[in-house]
Amino acid sequence: MLRIERAVYEAIVAHARRDHPDEACGIVAGPAGSDRPERFVAMRNAERSPTFYRFDSIEQLKVWRVMDDRDEEPVVIYHSHTATEAYPSRTDISLASEPNAHYVLASTRDPEHTEVRSYRIVDGAVTEEPVEIV
Amino acid sequence: MAIQVRVPTILRSYTGGSKVVEGAGGTLDALFTDIDSRFPGLRGRLVSADGGGELHRFVNIYVNDEDVRFLGGLDAKITDGDSITILPAVAGGSTDDRAAFGRLAGR
């Protein structure tokens, strides 16, 4: 299960809406081993695309260094799908590289409602999990 | 003196759990070969096995603060005291289209 504070949840939704129709992406860092997503970090989508995302490599290094210094890890890795449902694509599954992260997908295909769902992706296996907003 | 290499979680199964390993070499290629002699299999996760020997597209490797793609890739020159960081690229997207995926992979 993903437990996430409302303010963080809403920051993900707001980022997804702001970058629509391009995919938005980012992380929520938290203390290593805590499973608590606390520090929201919006990342640039280096692909600037409605169908792909990729963290800018230099920005990623900076953000990962800060996490290292603070003894944090990426508890949540999020991105948006802007025309399809909030379910990991084959591309998402094959590129998932953080077995400890919650992969959060936000779909902005419906202008009125943002669908947000969370998954574990380990060795190509996708497991959906409940999202509890606290 | 040695060159420090920071290893991401997903590759620490090759380093006995170590977050940082040390190696030697004048180029990234030589460094990875040196490290692979002590941590077999690690190089194969970073460099394609076919004769070309290119860096995998979805792994980011940095020499100090720079992405090695802008420093000559495996031929990048390194010296004692440099710090190498390996990070898995964070990427994906809504499409399952194979041709489009190839374009992303081609970056």
Side-chain angles (χ1 to χ4, degrees), chain A residues 46-101:
Chain A
E47 298 291 323
R48 292 178 177 278
S49 159
T51 50
F52 298 121
Y53 80 97
R54 181 175 187 141
F55 288 5
D56 174 83
S57 67
I58 297 300
E59 183 180 35
Q60 186 185 348
L61 177 66
K62 287 178 184 154
V63 169
W64 256 243
R65 284 226 174 115
V66 171
M67 282 196 288
D68 224 34
D69 291 344
R70 298 168 61 121
D71 200 20
E72 291 175 334
E73 60 188 0
V75 178
V76 164
I77 296 174
Y78 73 86
H79 75 282
S80 64
H81 285 178
T82 57
T84 57
E85 68 172 328
Y87 190 86
S89 66
R90 283 208 310 265
T91 310
D92 293 331
I93 296 164
S94 66
L95 295 179
S97 56
E98 295 283 354
N100 298 324

